[in-house]
Amino acid sequence: MKHLIALALKYVLLATVFFAIVPLFLRVSSAELLWFSLWMTIVAYALGDLYLLPRFGNLSAAIADFGLAFVGVWIGIGAFYDGNGTAVLNAAFFSALLVALGEVLFHAYVQRFILRGQEEEGVPLLGREWQTEMAEEFDVRREADHDDQKQKS
């Protein structure tokens, strides 16, 4: 349930940004922007919020969301329209900039209400059960062997 709320919030954020910015530069229908927002929400939530955010932090995830939104608008919307390249790049840049700014706040929500609950439940975020352990000792022999050798010396 908590993921559905987070997905709904992210969808509202992305749809609002795309509806505010993209029509300033390109003639895009409302239905296309709604579908594009849905696809971007699913991809960005899976990659940026559930994969990158717990591993690399808020800033890295926001930069990744900027790149994803930029490439998504540039290729996902710009490929279907015959507008000049400058209009597509402007729409991509300004919408990605607003998405990244909104994502900083959304990541705080995700860290507080989604990811914190997973850490408390013991759900591994990055396969921590496969991490290796580091020791301070350089010699793997038993301690008793060390004591015996010291006494002989």
Side-chain angles (χ1 to χ4, degrees), residues 95-107:
S95 61
L97 186 64
L98 284 178
V99 165
L101 292 174
E103 287 289 332
V104 170
L105 298 174
F106 181 72
H107 290 160

Side-chain angles (χ1 to χ4, degrees), residues 4-134:
L4 290 177
I5 294 170
L7 280 168
L9 287 172
K10 188 170 189 84
Y11 180 74
V12 168
L13 169 72
L14 291 176
T16 303
V17 168
F18 293 144
F19 269 93
I21 299 297
V22 174
L24 294 175
F25 300 100
L26 301 168
R27 290 183 165 233
V28 182
S29 71
S30 297
E32 290 171 338
L33 283 177
L34 288 174
W35 280 109
F36 181 72
S37 299
L38 179 67
W39 286 108
M40 285 294 293
T41 299
I42 293 168
V43 171
Y45 187 73
L47 289 177
D49 302 328
L50 296 181
Y51 184 75
L52 292 176
L53 182 62
R55 289 161 182 80
F56 301 110
N58 194 354
L59 181 64
S60 298
I63 291 170
D65 284 328
F66 175 86
L68 181 66
F70 183 82
V71 171
V73 172
W74 182 35
I75 294 174
I77 292 179
F80 298 106
Y81 293 95
D82 292 333
N84 61 6
T86 306
V88 173
L89 288 176
N90 284 336
F93 176 75
F94 289 116
S95 61
L97 186 64
L98 284 178
V99 165
L101 292 174
E103 287 289 332
V104 170
L105 298 174
F106 181 72
H107 290 160
Y109 170 81
V110 169
Q111 284 177 327
R112 183 170 181 183
F113 294 107
I114 306 296
L115 298 178
R116 187 174 74 184
Q118 287 180 352
E119 291 171 359
E120 291 173 357
E121 295 170 7
V123 176
L125 296 175
L126 176 62
R128 292 186 179 145
E129 69 273 5
W130 297 105
Q131 286 183 336
T132 58
E133 294 182 12
M134 298 294 292

